[in-house]
């Protein structure tokens, strides 16, 4: 006897969809814009005025020859994500650049929601602009979540970006798709939810484990020749789950779990990219390995 086919009530569909949206919002949203530097608030439409970064007259030094491109994550933006990291890198002597990508007209300021293929095209054009402005051949990419994993990896693998990138440093990157602590996979099992996500937040749908985007991305090896990779993750990540799925395999890869460096680090997905000084110390080490120093709990206050 065949099993009875059970229908899913509309109320259950709405519940799962809203739960997934709320969960991702809580973790992927960045701090209030009021936390950004005062001069960052003077940003004009389409042209952000930042605190020392996006300086198009900057020329890289011999000590830091590659400009650094910062890529925010899903439901975030460049000012709120990098208001601590970018000025600090500028102070270290880097030429630093960032952009807002993946904009949807009905969700202003919370970006990274457009289709990842389209966003990768925006990153490609931006990298070309940075290379032309600085007169360099390659950039280093530092990204959080989407911006540290699937987005730049797609750009390098499918848009001829590999020759333009020296290092990719991903902070909590969902390299092999995210389950969002099971909500993503649950949503895929409820009829209609994937279609709703495709229509409303395609960038989110692209990142769920089993999406067509993820299947295409991970049909290739994790790495491309010539690029050096660093993955920085936390055991307490609740979005790019399971956290070990963030790790990459291949040559020139360093996978770092912050709790292995400081067991007192309790950062989750968002904090790791925005305010975690353990993670940031590892970013600096990866950008300048010749002058790397040990990362310990003391790095959080140094």
């Amino acid at each position: 006897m065949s099993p009875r086919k059970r229908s899913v009530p509309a109320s259950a569909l709405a519940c799962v969809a809203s739960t997934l949206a709320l969960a991702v919002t809580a973790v992927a949203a960045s701090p209030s814009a009021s936390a950004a530097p005062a001069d960052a608030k003077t940003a004009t439409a389409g042209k952000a005025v930042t605190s020392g970064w996006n300086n198009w007259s900057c020329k890289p030094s011999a000590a830091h020859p590659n400009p650094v491109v910062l890529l925010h994550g899903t439901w975030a933006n460049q000012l709120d994500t990098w208001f601590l990291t970018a000025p600090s890198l500028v102070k270290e002597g880097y030429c630093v650049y960032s952009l807002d990508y993946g904009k949807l007209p009905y969700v202003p300021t919370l970006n990274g929601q457009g289709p990842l293929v389209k966003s990768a095209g925006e990153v490609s054009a931006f990298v070309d602009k940075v290379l032309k402005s600085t007169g360099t051949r390659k950039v280093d990419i530092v990204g959080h979540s989407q911006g540290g994993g699937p987005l730049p990896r797609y750009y390098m693998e499918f848009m001829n970006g590999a020759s333009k990138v020296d290092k990719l440093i991903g902070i909590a990157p969902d390299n092999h798709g995210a389950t969002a602590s099971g909500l993503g996979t649950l949503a895929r099992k409820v009829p209609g939810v994937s279609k709703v996500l495709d229509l409303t937040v395609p960038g989110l749908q692209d990142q769920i484990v089993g999406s067509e985007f993820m299947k295409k991305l991970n049909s290739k090896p994790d790495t491309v020749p010539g690029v050096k990779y660093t993955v920085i993750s936390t055991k307490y990540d609740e979005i790019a789950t399971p956290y070990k799925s963030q790790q990459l395999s291949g040559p020139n890869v360093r996978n770092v779990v912050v709790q292995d460096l400081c067991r007192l680090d309790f950062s989750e997905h968002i904090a790791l990219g925005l305010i975690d000084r353990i993670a940031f110390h590892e970013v600096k080490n990866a950008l300048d390995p010749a002058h790397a120093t040990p990362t310990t709990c003391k790095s959080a206050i140094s």
Side-chain angles (χ1 to χ4, degrees):
M1 187 172 82
S2 60
R4 295 176 61 188
K5 185 176 180 180
R6 300 178 64 184
S7 61
V8 180
S11 59
L13 172 63
C15 180
V16 171
S18 61
T19 300
L20 178 62
L22 286 172
V24 177
T25 301
V27 179
S30 52
S32 167
S34 63
D39 57 344
K41 296 179 187 178
T42 64
T44 55
K47 188 175 182 180
V49 179
T50 55
S51 181
W53 81 97
N54 281 347
N55 174 7
W56 296 99
S57 63
C58 186
K59 298 300 179 185
S61 65
H64 303 304
N66 295 333
V68 178
V69 172
L70 304 175
L71 301 178
H72 62 72
T74 310
W75 287 6
N77 63 66
Q78 59 177 316
L79 297 179
D80 284 359
T81 302
W82 306 117
F83 74 101
L84 291 178
T85 304
S88 182
L89 288 175
V90 169
K91 188 176 180 179
E92 295 275 340
Y94 291 93
C95 291
V96 182
Y97 303 88
S98 65
L99 76 157
D100 289 316
Y101 67 85
K103 297 180 181 181
L104 294 179
Y106 45 86
V107 191
T109 75
L110 296 179
N111 305 311
Q113 299 186 75
L116 263 69
V117 173
K118 183 175 183 296
S119 293
E122 295 175 39
V123 171
S124 177
F126 189 78
V127 168
D128 286 348
K129 179 181 177 181
V130 169
L131 294 177
K132 182 177 181 180
S133 175
T134 57
T136 53
R137 293 180 54 251
K138 294 189 177 186
V139 301
D140 293 334
I141 294 178
V142 178
H144 179 228
S145 195
Q146 173 189 164
L151 181 61
R153 286 181 57 219
Y154 189 94
Y155 159 63
M156 292 190 294
E157 189 69 65
F158 296 99
M159 294 184 169
N160 300 314
S163 64
K164 302 173 184 178
V165 178
D166 186 36
K167 307 178 193 74
L168 172 60
I169 303 164
I171 306 169
D174 49 331
N175 276 311
H176 299 101
T179 68
S181 296
L183 286 172
T185 48
L186 175 62
R188 193 174 295 285
K189 293 179 181 179
V190 179
V193 171
S194 290
K195 184 65 174 178
V196 170
L197 292 176
D198 257 336
L199 293 173
T200 57
V201 280
L204 176 60
Q205 167 69 1
D206 283 346
Q207 295 175 77
I208 296 177
V209 169
S211 72
E212 292 305 311
F213 177 88
M214 280 296 172
K215 289 177 183 177
K216 180 177 180 179
L217 176 64
N218 291 307
S219 67
K220 301 277 190 176
D222 281 356
T223 63
V224 293
V227 178
K228 296 175 276 293
Y229 296 80
T230 301
V231 175
I232 304 169
S233 58
T234 171
K235 293 180 180 179
Y236 301 110
D237 201 308
E238 72 280 57
I239 288 298
T241 53
Y243 79 91
K244 288 187 177 179
S245 69
Q246 300 173 25
Q247 298 176 354
L248 296 174
S249 300
N252 296 322
V253 172
R254 182 166 185 257
N255 294 305
V256 180
V257 179
V258 292
Q259 285 77 28
D260 292 341
L261 305 174
C262 176
R263 62 185 180 85
L264 299 177
D265 191 327
F266 297 106
S267 290
E268 42 64 67
H269 185 82
I270 230 177
L272 195 72
L274 271 65
I275 60 174
D276 191 296
R277 294 180 65 85
I278 303 293
F280 182 57
H281 193 268
E282 280 299 298
V283 169
K284 290 197 296 182
N285 281 346
L287 287 173
D288 189 7
H291 298 95
T293 57
T295 304
T296 66
C297 289
K298 292 182 179 180
S299 303
I301 57 175
S302 60

